[in-house]
Each structure stands twice: as structure tokens, then as C-alpha cells.
Amino acid sequence: MNAIVALCHFCELHGPRTLFCTEVLHSPLPQGAGSGDISGQNEQAEEEEGGIQMSSRIRSHSPAEGASADSSSPGPKKSDMCEASGEICGCRSLAGGHPGYVSHDKETSIKYVSHQHPNHPQLFSIVRQACVRSLSCEVCPGREGPIFFGDEQHGFVFSHTFFIKDSLARGFQRWYSIITIMMDRIYLINSWPFLLGKIRGIIDELQGKALKVFEAEQFGCPQRAQRMNTAFTPFLHQRNGNAARSLTSLTNDENLWACLHTSFAWLLKACGSRLTEKLLEGAPTEDTLVQMEKLADLKEESEGWDGSEEEEKPSSQPDAVEGQELSKSSPETSLVPDCNSWNVAHRRLSVFRSLRHMRQVLGASAFRMLAWHVLMGNQVIWKAQDMDLVQSAFDVLRTMLPIGCVRIIPYSEQYEEAYRCNFLGLSPHVQIPPHILASEFAVLVEVRAATRSSLYPTLFDDEQSLNKYEFLVTSGSPVAADRVGPTILNKIEAALTNQNLSVDVVDQCLVCLKEEWMNKVKVLFKFTKVDSRPKEDTQKLLSILGAAEEDNVKLLKFWMTGLSKTYKSHLMSTVRSPTSSECRN
């Protein structure tokens, strides 16, 4: 992330001052900033945190960073700095000869460099102006808390001001701020919650350390009574001209700046990694829109969920709650387009690897019957003892349908109606109503123990688990062998039987076929539902689309239920707008 994080302090003598800043360097360090280690210094052990190599290799300092800075240096002049005998004052973080800190991100070859001031004069000016504004005019009510300000020329700033306890300071506290500067306003605003939480954690740690020191000093030598005895003595003369104490003294932490460097470097890396850009080629597909809608619904439901209220719900309706959770398990796991299973464990235990594999196991005629019912939207019931086998079968079969048409109850101890799911897994002992077994709108796959060791040729070693089963596919309306069937089913079977096509190529063919028929569904939806055309015109349209056959019409009507809400609302709004404009005319 192209940003700078800085710690600022309001000095009682010189006003706002930058104490410590961390910047990102994507290119090799500038001359004098990465030439190597300081001679005579031993390298300490290296540590890794969040993929960043925390190293004690310190960059040699430029004249702008040392105490002997000349007039051309972008840093503050020596005469402008506080002078304190024996320790670093409140206006400085590192000693004059301290070279600073460098961390190396081995994953991205990025360096995170920390010192009191940036090396580049323009960056120094930007940080300096942000520091002054954060501790003067750009302050939230109460003078402690987050605020956002900036412009295109000088960058945009997220600033969080806070107080640190100091028993020798005016009002027993000193004013600091942590600022994050970047040129991308949108990115910084979107990072507000993340930055607020992490920076608030850093501030709490600093305030906690300082509070312990303050309480110990007050216990040993209370300053309030001493000041009241010398109430008329000018405050600045009470300290005999000594400058304010440094932050390391206020927190009693000699490793404070190294810890801040680690925190700031991690903050820059983590904030840059949490938001990524994605290149979209063309308009999003219907599956993508449905996935986004499912994700938004799940987030809204999780935010509104209250654990206490959930416990108070009566236990007399377990089936409805269970069905709701199970039916939503499918969309939740299908939020990623190439994720076709419920979880990692199920993917490892997958029995059916692809549609081609399932066709080889079930046989051509049984698979065609099963696929026909899947595409038509009829209820597909699997009865088996092995839950992983049922879930693996549903993972494979659902790839033939748009995501919006998939409603799965993976495994249940009782029969569920077709309006609740079109994929239903049942335990072997569950009784299915007779009218369902005789219905033409359902297909049953019974998985039984095999009567012989092998029912079909074993092609792979991992197919041994299927040799102990036999699969019986039945339906009240079996598909005749000479039945033409929907066009997409014939194309799917042609791709599966073509051994020249790999499994990955078949998967891509399936994606293209689904998108082709979803486009036909969109045309039919607009023609019938939005424009309300007569049946005669609808038949002509179906002939033009190549979907005039009965099975194709049924398929289109079922797939119409899988259209996204986004597409439907957009279509309705675009249709209404010309009408309203004509009425005005």
C-alpha cells in the first residue's frame, strides 16, 4: 500500500512535530539509505511477522537524518530541536546518530523504512503539513479520536489524536496523534474501520504503559500538591529549562521505536492486502449475480442474528429450522464460482469426480434418465447410508444447473417436499410416500450393497470404494431411449462421450452451454413476463431460439426461476422508463 504512517507530538516549545514515520519503498533504497549495515554493528537474529522479515540491519543515515544536518536537509534544523541533557527530548524519537529501521517483505520485495522524517523533501513537506493539521485545526470534538481530512495536492489523511499521561506536563498529559497518509481517497475511506481498530490498539498499548509510569511517579512524589505550593511560578521555569521527556521515558520502554516500526510495517502490509482489485471481463454472469445476492443475504442475516433470541425459540419446529439451514448450505458454499462442494473435508472425500465418472458408474441409460430429471427441475432423491457419497453426487449433478435453481438438503431423516428442495439425500430406512415414487416429477437413486465384488471395470485405485455399491435409478416417468430430450442434454452427453475432451474442457463446455441457455431464458422472461406478449408470438420466439420442443420449453420455464433479482429489477426499471417518458409527452 502506497502510504505513510507517522506518530506526531505537540511540543510545548515548538508546536507540532513528527516523531516517527514508516514509509514503503517499492524500489531499491536510495543512496545512503540501503548501502548496507553500519560498520561495527553486529546483526541480531531475524524474525518474521505477517510475512515481513524483521531484521536488525539498519540503513545508514543520510545527512537529513543525523544530528549534523545541514541547511539543505528536509528535516528540522538543529536549532529548532529541544535540547535536553542526558536523554532524548520530546521532539525526537531516535538519537542523532541512529540510522533507523528497515524491514524486508520477502513475498513482495518491498522494504518498510522507519525514521523520524521521510528522506524525500516532498514527502517530508506532506508529512509535516499533515502533522500540523492533525494537532491544530483538524481535531475531532474532545481533542481525542479519529478524523479524516486532506486534498488531492497534499494527500488524504486518517488521523487519530490521543493523550499520554505525564506527571511533569501541563495538565499531566501530552498530546499525540497517529496519522496515515495516502493519495487514494477512496481506498483510505474504505480502510477506515480496519485502520481505526488497529491504530486504536496501538494507542491503548501506549496509554497503558504510560499510565503505569504516571501512577508510580505520582505515588512516589505527587506533583499536584507541589504545583499548588508554587502556583505563581511560571510553569516553564519550574523545570529549569529542561525539555519535555521523550515517549520512551514516559512509557519506560527502551524498545518502543522498534515495536512501533514493527506495528507500522505490519499495518501498511495488512491494509494493502485486505483490498484487492479484480479484472472483470465482460458483464457478470447470472451465477455471479446470484452468488453476490446470496452472500449479501447471508451477511444481513448474520448481522441480525441474536443468540439469545435463538435460544428462546420454541423447540416444537426443529424440522423447519433444520430445513432452512440445510437449504442455505448450498448457496453459502457456492459463493466462490469454482467451489463445487460444501467444505474441504467433503472435497477430499469426494466419490464422484465428474459427470463423466458418474456416467461410467451408473451406465448411459440410467445417467440420461437422472440428468433429464435434473435439467427439468424434478426432485432428485438419493437414498444411501454413506453421506459423503450422496454429497459427492450432488456436487457433480448441480454443475448442470444455474446456481439460482439449486436447492439442496444434503441428508435428512425424513422426506422433504419438492417445493423445499430439488436435491434430497435420505437415509435408507426413510419411507418415501407412494405418490412420490409413482410421480413423473421425481427420480430415485437407491444405493445398495453390491452382490458381487465389481459391477464395472475399475479404472483407478480410488474407485474401489464404489465397487461395494450398486445403483438403482427408478422413476414414475422413465425417459424412453428414443426420446429426443432437451437440446442441452444431448450436447452434454456428446461432450461426455467424446474421449478427446479432458474433464476440464468438458467443464468449460458445460459453463458455455449454461450461459447460452440462460441468455434464452432472459429473452423469454422479457418477452412473456415484462412485455406480456400473446402465446402465438411466444411460440414464434421459441422457434427462433431453437427451443420449441416440449422438453426445451419446460427447461426454460424452470431455469427462469434461477434468474437473479438484480437482473429482474434492472429489466423492470429499463422497461418502465420509456413508458413514463411517453406519458409525460
Side-chain angles (χ1 to χ4, degrees):
M1 183 178 71
N2 294 322
I4 296 179
V5 181
L7 173 67
C8 307
H9 166 57
F10 189 90
C11 177
E12 294 177 351
L13 296 179
H14 304 106
R17 284 290 187 270
T18 304
L19 282 182
F20 192 77
C21 70
T22 302
E23 56 183 312
V24 180
L25 296 181
H26 297 270
S27 57
L29 290 175
Q31 183 178 2
S35 57
D37 298 344
I38 304 300
S39 58
Q41 290 189 347
N42 295 326
E43 293 187 358
Q44 302 175 357
E46 297 180 352
E47 301 177 356
E48 288 191 9
E49 182 169 338
I52 301 178
Q53 178 181 342
M54 297 302 178
S55 171
S56 64
R57 289 178 290 186
I58 310 300
R59 62 195 178 101
S60 59
H61 59 281
S62 64
E65 301 164 348
S68 59
D70 55 21
S71 59
S72 61
S73 166
K77 297 180 180 180
K78 182 177 180 180
S79 60
D80 293 336
M81 304 302 296
C82 299
E83 295 181 359
S85 57
E87 68 172 359
I88 302 177
C89 66
C91 275
R92 290 200 66 90
S93 56
L94 307 177
H98 197 290
Y101 300 92
V102 176
S103 292
H104 304 267
D105 187 353
K106 296 186 293 185
E107 297 177 355
T108 58
S109 300
I110 293 177
K111 295 181 176 64
Y112 298 89
V113 183
S114 294
H115 208 272
Q116 180 156 357
H117 306 284
N119 289 326
H120 198 281
Q122 185 177 1
L123 290 180
F124 173 83
S125 176
I126 292 176
V127 173
R128 170 65 176 165
Q129 185 183 55
C131 170
V132 172
R133 295 180 65 179
S134 70
L135 293 172
S136 58
C137 56
E138 304 290 354
V139 181
C140 64
R143 300 181 66 194
E144 191 171 20
I147 196 170
F148 177 87
F149 61 89
D151 53 57
E152 296 287 348
Q153 182 178 359
H154 300 96
F156 299 93
V157 183
F158 171 87
S159 171
H160 196 303
T161 52
F162 59 99
F163 292 103
I164 292 290
K165 285 291 186 180
D166 182 3
S167 60
L168 300 180
R170 181 181 300 167
F172 300 103
Q173 61 186 10
R174 299 198 179 275
W175 202 20
Y176 292 84
S177 71
I178 295 179
I179 59 176
T180 303
I181 312 169
M182 69 171 59
M183 302 304 295
D184 193 337
R185 176 177 61 89
I186 301 299
Y187 197 103
L188 185 59
I189 292 176
N190 290 334
S191 302
W192 176 286
F194 175 82
L195 292 174
L196 179 60
K198 302 306 177 183
I199 291 179
R200 185 67 251 179
I202 298 174
I203 292 173
D204 290 341
E205 186 175 357
L206 292 176
Q207 290 178 332
K209 293 180 179 179
L211 182 60
K212 292 180 181 179
V213 175
F214 174 79
E215 292 176 347
E217 292 177 348
Q218 288 293 86
F219 179 79
C221 181
Q223 292 290 317
R224 187 176 299 274
Q226 182 179 354
R227 293 185 184 182
M228 291 183 67
N229 295 332
T230 57
F232 298 102
T233 303
F235 178 78
L236 292 177
H237 291 281
Q238 291 184 32
R239 296 177 286 131
N240 298 324
N242 290 338
R245 294 187 295 174
S246 64
L247 190 57
T248 55
S249 177
L250 295 177
T251 58
N252 193 25
D253 186 359
E254 296 297 330
N255 298 320
L256 174 67
W257 305 116
C259 294
L260 278 181
H261 166 76
T262 303
S263 300
F264 287 175
W266 180 89
L267 185 68
L268 289 169
K269 176 181 172 62
C271 189
S273 302
R274 59 181 295 271
L275 297 177
T276 56
E277 295 181 352
K278 181 181 291 186
L279 178 62
L280 297 178
E281 299 180 357
T285 62
E286 281 300 301
D287 283 356
T288 304
L289 294 176
V290 173
Q291 290 166 5
M292 295 170 61
E293 292 173 356
K294 296 293 184 182
L295 179 60
D297 293 341
L298 289 173
K299 285 184 177 180
E300 183 178 354
E301 182 178 350
S302 62
E303 291 174 357
W305 180 81
D306 188 352
S308 59
E309 294 180 1
E310 188 72 12
E311 294 177 358
E312 295 175 0
K313 287 185 177 181
S315 58
S316 60
Q317 299 177 349
D319 296 337
V321 177
E322 179 184 5
Q324 182 180 5
E325 293 175 352
L326 290 174
S327 62
K328 288 183 178 178
S329 63
S330 169
E332 182 179 3
T333 54
S334 63
L335 297 177
V336 182
D338 26 350
C339 177
N340 290 325
S341 59
W342 281 268
N343 50 47
V344 177
H346 291 151
R347 286 197 294 269
R348 286 198 298 264
L349 298 175
S350 62
V351 181
F352 296 102
R353 297 187 303 273
S354 63
L355 286 174
R356 177 177 290 171
H357 182 214
M358 180 178 287
R359 188 173 185 272
Q360 293 173 348
V361 173
L362 300 181
S365 59
F367 176 80
R368 180 177 175 83
M369 180 191 303
L370 180 62
W372 183 87
H373 284 279
V374 170
L375 293 172
M376 293 295 104
N378 298 335
Q379 190 175 39
V380 179
I381 306 172
W382 279 66
K383 292 183 66 175
Q385 187 69 37
D386 190 348
M387 185 185 302
D388 294 328
L389 184 146
V390 176
Q391 291 175 337
S392 176
F394 289 164
D395 285 342
V396 172
L397 291 174
R398 64 187 293 184
T399 60
M400 292 191 291
L401 292 178
I403 292 179
C405 296
V406 177
R407 302 185 311 280
I408 298 179
I409 295 182
Y411 208 73
S412 177
E413 295 298 329
Q414 64 180 11
Y415 173 75
E416 301 290 348
E417 294 294 338
Y419 72 87
R420 299 191 61 192
C421 60
N422 55 338
F423 290 96
L424 175 62
L426 295 177
S427 177
H429 66 271
V430 176
Q431 295 294 327
I432 301 177
H435 70 277
I436 299 298
L437 296 176
S439 173
E440 60 178 337
F441 302 109
V443 61
L444 173 63
V445 181
E446 294 184 86
V447 183
R448 303 173 179 175
T451 56
R452 56 184 186 274
S453 60
S454 181
L455 298 176
Y456 67 96
T458 301
L459 303 178
F460 302 96
D461 294 337
D462 57 358
E463 290 184 358
Q464 296 294 335
S465 60
L466 290 174
N467 290 338
K468 58 184 178 181
Y469 299 122
E470 63 178 357
F471 301 87
L472 179 62
V473 183
T474 58
S475 175
S477 175
V479 179
D482 56 348
R483 186 167 181 172
V484 177
T487 305
I488 189 173
L489 175 59
N490 299 328
K491 292 184 178 181
I492 290 175
E493 285 197 312
L496 295 177
T497 55
N498 189 350
Q499 297 300 325
N500 294 326
L501 302 180
S502 65
V503 175
D504 293 335
V505 174
V506 173
D507 291 340
Q508 294 302 317
C509 290
L510 194 58
V511 172
C512 295
L513 287 174
K514 288 195 296 183
E515 192 65 20
E516 175 189 352
W517 281 83
M518 282 303 294
N519 290 332
K520 296 180 181 181
V521 169
K522 292 179 181 179
V523 174
L524 183 62
F525 175 80
K526 183 180 183 302
F527 200 81
T528 57
K529 304 297 183 182
V530 180
D531 297 341
S532 300
R533 299 293 184 91
K535 292 184 178 180
E536 295 78 7
D537 294 344
T538 303
Q539 291 297 328
K540 295 179 181 178
L541 175 65
L542 291 173
S543 300
I544 296 174
L545 296 176
E549 296 80 6
E550 180 183 359
D551 286 347
N552 287 331
V553 175
K554 291 181 178 180
L555 182 143
L556 291 176
K557 290 181 178 180
F558 168 58
W559 283 31
M560 198 178 294
T561 62
L563 287 175
S564 62
K565 299 176 183 177
T566 304
Y567 172 78
K568 292 179 180 179
S569 60
H570 172 72
L571 190 60
M572 297 300 293
S573 61
T574 55
V575 169
R576 290 194 186 103
S577 55
T579 307
S580 58
S581 61
E582 291 176 2
C583 294
R584 294 193 190 105
N585 295 334

